[in-house]
Amino acid sequence: MPTVSVKRDLLFKALGRTYTDEEFDELCFEFGLELDEITSEKEIISKEQGDKKAEGASDVVLYKIDVPANRYDLLCLEGLVRGLQVFKERIKAPLYKRVMPNGEIQKLIITEETAKIRPYAVAAVLRNIKFTKDRYDSFIELQEKLHQNICRKRALVAIGAHDLDSLSGPFTFTAKRPSDIKFKPLSKTKEYTACELMNIYKTDNHLKHYLHIIENKPLYPVIYDSNGVVLSMPPIINGNHSKITLNTRNVFIECTGTDFTKAKIVLDIIVTMFSEYCENQFTVEAAEVVFPNGKSYTFPELAYRKEMVRADLINKKVGIRETPENLAKLLTRMCLKSEVIGDGNQIEIEIPPTRADIIHACDIVEDAAIAYGYNNIQMTLPKTYTIANQFPLNKLTELLRHDMAAAGFTEALTFALCSQEDIADKLGVDISATKAVHISNPKTAEFQVARTTLLPGLLKTIAANRKMPLPLKLFEISDIVVKDSSRDVGARNYRHLCAVYYNKNPGFEIIHGLLDRIMQLLDVPPGEKKGGYVIKASEGPVLRPDELP
Amino acid sequence: MADGPVADVLLRRLEAADGGLDSAELAAELGVEHQAVVGAVKSLQALGEIIEAELRSTKRWELTAEGEEIAREGSHEARVFRSVPPEGLAQSELMRLPSGKVGFSKAMSNKWIRVDKSAADGPRVFRVVDSMEDDVQRRLQLVRGGQAEKLAEKERSELRKRKLLTEVGSWRDRPFKPYNFSARGVLPDSGHLHPLLKVRTQFRQIFLEMGFTEMPTDNFIESSFWNFDALFQPQQHPARDQHDTFFLQDPAEALQLPMDYVHRVKRTHSQGGYGSQGYKYTWKLDEARKNLLRTHTTAASARALYRLARKKPFTPIKYFSIDRVFRNETLDATHLAEFHQIEGVVADHGLTLGHLMGVLREFFTKLGITQLRFKPAYNPYTEPSMEVFSYHQGLKKWVEVGNSGLFRPEMLLPMGLPENVSVIAWGLSLERPTMIKYGINNIRELVGHKVNLQMVYDSPLCRLDAEPGPPQTQEAA
């Protein structure tokens, strides 16, 4: 869940009133947000790096607010305020408009070299915007939040924002050999080739996480203006030339990526959020993107979509009985402008470009329920009549574990994942003989394989509890996993029972006795006859007679 | 106690002594009660292999008051013998002597005297022998002289029967040590169930009481298809990242998928349908085939619902499961790479959010949690979704206790469930309520081989609805 950090006083100013922390927490809860932490820059630094470093840092109160992962429209102060103000019916949701420029439209031409690495791009212009320090910071922060979330750490989409007045279109989005790309990147004082930059950024705590996206590709994506000035080398870094400042009035925004839908959503979110500060509020200047096939598209889409939902469907899914008019009012409070039409039971809902999360009627139902107030919904019990059944394997497990304890053995609970060594080398077995499933991305050796036997876990439990008085009598009834090509996934669980007796003397008769007891409980008679059990000696590698005392 | 002064002296003496010490002698020497020395020995023994002790019983004998008298003055029978003059004595007169009654029969059986019943003035007693040995007196004198061991066992026991001799320290004469009710008793030898699994048993019980049927969950390995795609979780979702999920190298891919259904899922993701816009991206079968360790038991729920959808006509169900799930996450004091997920699912015609809340209220009431409130939330496969919060008396704040919602139509309809069937579901972890219940701060002490076995031995019964602590107030949320 993304966390958005906003200055409390700035937030209250924008909301037009103040709240106590409790009141604001309550409001968040109702709206589906979570006031996660109340802190300050000073507090954060002092917590992470010590009081010394925090000296002189700002002690402006910050609210850290958890935002649902699908609500990209709430990832900045501007969006949060707009959402809450509409929710509280203090303002109406703005209508976002795309406008054509007075002069020539800004063009971004995609060349076919990008196809293999980053095939999509969209663009737009924020005209006559007025930044302040706080607005500028929020603008940068929103890009970062989008990069971390919907953009999947820039893998799907990367955003570049540029001072349009420092550039001259049309722009070209192409891909070149890294050695052929040379420019002065953001906050550097000289030019580097792309190869050099990739090396430099290997030690950059922020940028090093994105290098892998293009690192091993023969061509790197790059955007030029008509004079050959580099705007950006997505998804790594922008050029320093077109860097936006507090004085920037016209912003050219490009989003490049591998997911066209997400690139369009990201662009829509940025321009809807920050067109608030344009001279013509909530208007966005269009830009044209020409694809390698010659087709050209105008962005941002800022598409409004109409959905039709019957009022009784909403009532039926939520479990309330509201009039269609009331439901329309509730939805309008969620930035979904709605009205009752047709037979008086139909609600027409306008989905704004900010709400890409609304993809089905069920999303609309949820918003109606949120506006109604989850905690105002009458709780009822379904009349669903069913007979309960236990899963037979679990039923037997439950019965048996109680009797294992009654037999004086204590239940252990060990990990299903372990190292290759645990199930093979340490037991004197070759790993290839185990039929174990192997994990491809373990962070440590503890998670290399799923266990094929419960024994290592019990032995490790004993090893970790040597301070306990003897004897230790342990058991576990749980699942192990082995490959099995007859199963759809190629592996299956088996439920195993394992018991260990640990004392100064071997006490084989005790484990033998336990086995007899288990067989007795399972109603399996001893003896060679059919349905009976016998114990036979085997040359297992686990128990080595020469090592027994 | 072991570090008391007696134990201290005992250890010093033992170090100096050759061949051990006698506790009784030491007690006498130190001028303390013998029990004090015995106590010191016991507590030193309890520490392990510090001292060795063996139990020796020595019996000591002493004379009773009557025995003392006899040792001094002779036995009753001897005194009777001596009182009889050569000319004899009237029996009636003899009987009036202090030792008469007891001494007469003994002297008779010793054949020291005889009775002449035909004497003129009543029976008369005469000596039979001129002299006799008073063995009783002699033996008692030996005992008094500390030489009881010179007597045969039989002789001693005869004297004891005559209450002339008594065993020193005989329990009859001794005051009993009072019971120490403030000390701990000796715990019986027993096996123990693991606390987390005791809580699991209770959760199973609650579901069964509520009429929920247990789903099979005995398949840790799942395909991405069942774990994610079937749940309408897009292929670029962060949960499908290498950083969050354990993928398999071998077997790397699922061998079979239900292809008809897979196509419906693919279409819903990439183009929409069933009233949905879809996610509008290129859905890849390869991605769906990737095997993994299931990240939630909802994968098993998806399989169960798919089986339900294929059974016609539709019958309403209530399902539950409690089993392990795996996350490739950063580990800390409350997070491990594997944990247990509890899940409840109800499918029926016309279920509402109000029904979900009603079922949750009943479920949590059985856990002893009565103050609930619900927060809008986001889950990829439920809509509407709600997080369940309960008021924590100890922390004095609302804490999240579970997650819930109605499964998305994009998940249910491709399975083939009827359109007017809603499925409500909720989930929570087993570890969290267990850690709260048993006051455990570090999850490693609870789950895995680093478990604290003493904690397992000591953990009380799991009675979820009988939680001690401050009473829940009736105030509304």
Side-chain angles (χ1 to χ4, degrees):
Chain A
M1 203 186 287
T3 304
V4 180
S5 167
V6 295
K7 290 180 182 166
R8 182 191 62 188
D9 295 347
L10 212 60
L11 178 72
F12 288 172
K13 198 175 152 208
L15 288 172
R17 60 159 288 187
T18 59
Y19 291 84
T20 63
D21 292 340
E22 289 74 26
E23 284 169 344
F24 191 72
D25 182 54
E26 201 61 35
L27 174 63
C28 284
F29 194 95
E30 193 188 353
F31 192 55
L33 303 169
E34 208 172 324
L35 180 55
D36 185 47
E37 204 186 345
I38 301 165
T39 181
S40 71
E41 217 165 279
K42 194 171 192 169
E43 213 179 304
I44 296 170
I45 299 175
S46 113
K47 219 187 268 172
E48 287 170 0
Q49 306 169 32
D51 290 339
K52 266 245 166 77
K53 296 256 183 181
E55 265 172 45
S58 157
D59 46 14
V60 170
V61 179
L62 295 178
Y63 276 176
K64 290 199 153 188
I65 301 170
D66 280 348
V67 175
N70 63 340
R71 291 298 300 271
Y72 317 120
D73 59 319
L74 303 176
L75 287 178
C76 60
L77 176 93
E78 290 72 15
L80 276 173
V81 167
R82 223 173 284 164
L84 288 172
Q85 291 294 72
V86 173
F87 183 59
K88 285 285 159 196
E89 295 178 287
R90 293 196 198 104
I91 61 166
K92 281 192 171 150
L95 186 68
Y96 306 103
K97 263 201 297 211
R98 183 174 80 188
V99 294
M100 285 306 182
N102 292 327
E104 208 163 315
I105 191 165
Q106 295 298 333
K107 260 193 196 174
L108 176 65
I109 298 151
I110 308 178
T111 72
E112 57 192 17
E113 289 84 358
T114 59
K116 281 200 182 124
I117 172 150
R118 222 170 166 79
Y120 302 108
V122 294
V125 174
L126 288 174
R127 190 62 78 177
N128 293 321
I129 196 168
K130 217 169 178 177
F131 280 125
T132 63
K133 179 76 172 69
D134 286 322
R135 292 172 182 182
Y136 180 88
D137 290 347
S138 175
F139 185 63
I140 302 295
E141 194 53 34
L142 173 62
Q143 291 177 51
E144 180 55 23
K145 291 284 174 234
L146 291 167
H147 275 152
Q148 291 311 313
N149 293 286
I150 180 175
C151 303
R152 301 289 300 113
K153 303 200 169 103
R154 301 193 188 179
L156 301 182
V157 185
I159 310 157
H162 311 276
D163 187 338
L164 182 59
D165 299 326
S166 71
L167 300 164
S168 84
F171 306 100
T172 309
F173 175 34
T174 184
K176 282 190 159 185
R177 289 221 307 270
S179 52
D180 295 344
I181 301 171
K182 194 169 186 191
F183 66 104
K184 187 157 72 171
L186 265 184
S187 49
K188 294 275 182 208
T189 48
K190 56 174 262 205
E191 291 197 342
Y192 297 92
T193 66
C195 306
E196 290 168 336
L197 281 178
M198 296 298 269
N199 260 324
I200 291 170
Y201 292 145
K202 277 205 172 78
T203 56
D204 184 306
N205 276 335
H206 179 53
L207 295 178
K208 67 178 177 196
H209 303 293
Y210 310 119
L211 303 182
H212 73 96
I213 302 172
I214 59 168
E215 207 166 22
N216 298 315
K217 310 274 178 178
L219 304 180
Y220 287 2
V222 60
I223 303 177
Y224 292 102
D225 82 347
S226 62
N227 298 324
V229 173
V230 170
L231 277 72
S232 63
M233 183 174 81
I236 312 296
I237 190 85
N238 287 349
N240 195 55
H241 178 92
S242 56
K243 179 179 165 180
I244 59 166
T245 67
L246 290 186
N247 300 321
T248 299
R249 295 302 312 273
N250 300 301
V251 183
F252 178 70
I253 299 159
E254 38 87 5
C255 301
T256 61
T258 55
D259 186 316
F260 196 28
T261 311
K262 290 207 162 53
K264 290 190 281 191
I265 293 171
V266 167
L267 182 68
D268 277 353
I269 293 292
I270 293 177
V271 298
T272 51
M273 293 300 117
F274 281 87
S275 56
E276 182 176 344
Y277 302 131
C278 289
E279 204 166 78
N280 290 321
Q281 256 196 334
F282 305 119
T283 65
V284 185
E285 185 179 304
E288 189 182 329
V289 178
V290 184
F291 279 73
N293 63 6
K295 280 197 181 155
S296 90
Y297 299 86
T298 310
F299 295 108
E301 281 192 341
L302 293 184
Y304 281 81
R305 185 176 94 237
K306 294 260 161 91
E307 292 279 357
M308 214 76 89
V309 178
R310 293 187 67 81
D312 53 8
L313 177 99
I314 298 178
N315 280 327
K316 246 170 61 187
K317 288 287 176 192
V318 180
I320 52 176
R321 294 165 87 173
E322 288 292 296
T323 62
E325 288 73 20
N326 274 348
L327 291 174
K329 235 184 249 168
L330 292 174
L331 288 169
T332 304
R333 281 175 53 204
M334 300 303 288
C335 291
L336 302 174
K337 210 175 106 194
S338 304
E339 52 182 336
V340 182
I341 58 156
D343 62 358
N345 195 8
Q346 288 280 6
I347 304 177
E348 187 185 68
I349 301 123
E350 190 178 63
I351 317 295
T354 45
R355 294 299 307 273
D357 59 298
I358 306 276
I359 57 175
H360 192 279
C362 67
D363 298 302
I364 294 167
V365 169
E366 181 182 74
D367 272 21
I370 293 172
Y372 182 84
Y374 275 9
N375 295 294
N376 299 325
I377 298 169
Q378 180 80 40
M379 299 187 206
T380 47
L381 272 183
K383 296 197 164 48
T384 313
Y385 185 84
T386 52
I387 302 291
N389 285 306
Q390 302 184 50
F391 182 49
L393 183 63
N394 291 355
K395 186 176 181 177
L396 174 63
T397 305
E398 280 291 299
L399 289 169
L400 205 48
R401 48 189 284 275
H402 280 90
D403 267 305
M404 291 294 287
F409 279 67
T410 291
E411 190 172 32
L413 176 64
T414 65
F415 296 126
L417 305 184
C418 58
S419 70
Q420 211 164 287
E421 212 186 2
D422 283 344
I423 55 163
D425 311 24
K426 284 183 185 169
L427 300 181
V429 183
D430 192 79
I431 186 70
S432 60
T434 60
K435 292 205 292 176
V437 304
H438 290 254
I439 294 165
S440 65
N441 57 333
K443 279 177 187 155
T444 68
E446 291 169 89
F447 311 119
Q448 286 173 331
V449 291
R451 65 181 171 202
T452 52
T453 155
L454 299 178
L455 185 59
L458 287 188
L459 292 176
K460 286 202 273 185
T461 306
I462 286 171
N465 281 280
R466 277 171 303 183
K467 63 175 195 303
M468 295 298 292
L470 295 179
L472 291 181
K473 296 193 272 186
L474 299 180
F475 80 96
E476 183 169 15
I477 307 179
S478 189
D479 286 359
I480 61 103
V481 184
V482 288
K483 285 192 280 182
D484 181 345
S485 57
S486 71
R487 295 300 178 103
D488 62 346
V489 294
R492 65 161 295 181
N493 286 19
Y494 280 100
R495 179 106 356 136
H496 275 196
L497 186 162
C498 184
V500 173
Y501 175 76
Y502 173 69
N503 203 352
K504 287 176 180 168
N505 318 311
F508 174 75
E509 68 282 3
I510 289 168
I511 278 295
H512 187 177
L514 181 72
L515 177 71
D516 289 339
R517 172 66 183 143
I518 293 166
M519 289 308 184
Q520 195 175 49
L521 289 166
L522 296 174
D523 206 10
V524 181
E528 296 272 5
K529 60 182 184 289
K530 196 163 174 276
Y533 75 98
V534 288
I535 307 175
K536 287 180 179 160
S538 80
E539 284 300 312
V542 179
L543 298 172
R544 278 177 275 189
D546 55 311
E547 287 192 4
L548 292 176
Chain B
M1 298 266 72
D3 49 0
V6 178
D8 211 40
V9 173
L10 176 62
L11 284 174
R12 283 177 205 286
R13 292 289 178 99
L14 265 178
E15 200 173 31
D18 205 10
L21 291 173
D22 183 303
S23 57
E25 284 169 14
L26 183 68
E29 200 182 322
L30 296 177
V32 297
E33 289 269 330
H34 185 234
Q35 275 308 321
V37 178
V38 172
V41 169
K42 294 236 154 126
S43 49
L44 285 169
Q45 275 181 308
L47 294 177
E49 300 176 352
I50 290 180
I51 61 167
E52 272 178 27
E54 62 181 44
L55 195 62
R56 280 194 191 158
S57 58
T58 48
K59 285 185 178 169
R60 286 199 298 119
W61 301 87
E62 65 185 25
L63 304 184
T64 60
E66 194 184 352
E68 284 285 354
E69 186 198 317
I70 288 171
R72 210 166 49 236
E73 320 225 343
S75 63
H76 297 294
E77 54 269 33
R79 277 186 265 170
V80 163
F81 177 77
R82 286 191 204 108
S83 338
V84 178
E87 64 274 19
L89 190 66
Q91 189 178 12
S92 55
E93 204 172 317
L94 183 105
M95 286 304 180
R96 279 197 294 272
L97 294 172
S99 301
K101 275 185 186 153
V102 192
F104 173 74
S105 55
K106 270 280 169 195
M108 281 294 286
S109 68
N110 285 352
K111 298 206 167 61
W112 291 347
I113 55 172
R114 66 181 170 86
V115 181
D116 180 2
K117 294 190 177 170
S118 58
D121 42 354
R124 202 170 172 85
V125 181
F126 295 94
R127 286 187 180 185
V128 176
V129 291
D130 293 333
S131 64
M132 47 80 208
E133 280 288 315
D134 189 355
D135 288 335
V136 174
Q137 183 183 35
R138 184 180 56 82
R139 287 172 191 152
L140 288 177
Q141 280 168 347
L142 275 177
V143 172
R144 195 170 56 178
Q147 292 177 301
E149 67 273 15
K150 287 196 175 155
L151 298 184
E153 182 63 42
K154 201 175 150 200
E155 293 167 337
R156 273 202 302 262
S157 96
E158 196 203 313
L159 291 174
R160 221 176 89 194
K161 268 190 213 143
R162 291 180 65 177
K163 296 200 165 56
L164 302 178
L165 201 57
T166 170
E167 198 182 324
V168 177
S170 163
W171 61 272
R172 284 178 194 281
D173 316 324
R174 290 273 157 178
F176 274 72
K177 192 181 167 193
Y179 286 118
N180 182 359
F181 294 113
S182 60
R184 298 283 297 274
V186 177
L187 289 175
D189 285 333
S190 50
H192 308 268
L193 294 172
H194 191 280
L196 187 85
L197 302 179
K198 288 203 271 201
V199 180
R200 182 180 71 177
T201 302
Q202 289 314 304
F203 273 100
R204 283 183 91 245
Q205 186 65 34
I206 287 171
F207 276 114
L208 293 169
E209 284 168 9
M210 291 174 72
F212 283 64
T213 284
E214 193 168 27
M215 290 183 273
T217 47
D218 56 334
N219 56 318
F220 295 166
I221 308 301
E222 220 10 305
S223 59
S224 293
F225 178 78
W226 286 109
N227 197 77
F228 294 125
D229 296 286
L231 301 175
F232 196 53
Q233 203 151 343
Q235 295 190 329
Q236 314 88 338
H237 193 275
R240 304 182 70 153
D241 204 281
Q242 297 275 327
H243 295 294
D244 293 294
T245 299
F246 288 114
F247 287 95
L248 291 199
Q249 183 183 64
D250 181 26
E253 292 201 329
L255 305 169
Q256 301 145 35
L257 292 174
M259 288 316 288
D260 267 12
Y261 171 45
V262 167
H263 285 301
R264 293 195 294 274
V265 168
K266 172 185 177 167
R267 202 175 52 233
T268 316
H269 277 245
S270 55
Q271 301 161 35
Y274 307 104
S276 176
Q277 299 284 312
Y279 291 122
K280 298 184 177 133
Y281 70 99
T282 315
W283 187 91
K284 296 191 182 111
L285 182 61
D286 288 350
E287 198 61 43
R289 278 196 191 281
K290 282 186 185 168
N291 273 337
L292 43 77
L293 280 152
R294 67 169 174 227
T295 63
H296 46 199
T297 47
T298 320
S301 306
R303 282 181 186 264
L305 288 171
Y306 177 66
R307 280 193 299 271
L308 177 71
R310 288 161 64 86
K311 255 188 3 210
K312 309 281 179 200
F314 169 81
T315 36
I317 57 89
K318 296 202 288 245
Y319 286 155
F320 82 95
S321 68
I322 310 171
D323 211 337
R324 287 180 203 243
V325 298
F326 305 84
R327 306 267 169 98
N328 195 8
E329 283 175 344
T330 313
L331 314 181
D332 60 31
T334 53
H335 293 89
L336 291 172
E338 50 191 278
F339 63 95
H340 290 72
Q341 190 184 335
I342 302 166
E343 189 161 330
V345 176
V346 185
D348 201 351
H349 296 281
L351 292 179
T352 68
L353 210 48
H355 285 134
L356 171 61
M357 292 161 70
V359 173
L360 286 170
R361 183 185 57 191
E362 297 305 315
F363 178 78
F364 281 101
T365 300
K366 280 178 174 287
L367 297 178
I369 295 174
T370 49
Q371 281 194 83
L372 285 189
R373 65 175 189 166
F374 302 91
K375 177 176 137 344
Y378 169 67
N379 290 317
Y381 43 88
T382 57
E383 190 84 10
S385 309
M386 40 175 58
E387 279 168 5
V388 190
F389 280 70
S390 95
Y391 191 75
H392 193 284
Q393 296 288 353
L395 300 173
K396 297 262 174 270
K397 64 172 192 175
W398 291 89
V399 293
E400 194 195 328
V401 292
N403 215 331
S404 69
L406 270 72
F407 281 134
R408 292 192 72 99
E410 293 101 321
M411 166 180 163
L412 302 177
L413 298 178
M415 289 178 172
L417 283 168
E419 205 161 334
N420 55 356
V421 166
S422 299
V423 182
I424 60 178
W426 74 98
L428 56 153
S429 92
L430 178 61
E431 278 74 0
R432 206 175 132 105
T434 306
M435 288 173 80
I436 293 170
K437 161 96 197 155
Y438 288 107
I440 296 163
N441 295 321
N442 183 355
I443 195 163
R444 285 172 197 279
E445 282 197 10
L446 177 67
V447 183
H449 56 266
K450 287 181 185 153
V451 65
N452 176 353
L453 277 181
Q454 192 62 52
M455 179 276 296
V456 176
Y457 292 174
D458 296 345
S459 72
L461 292 177
C462 174
R463 294 158 72 221
L464 293 169
D465 52 351
E467 203 72 47
Q472 304 262 342
T473 64
Q474 290 300 308
E475 284 162 39

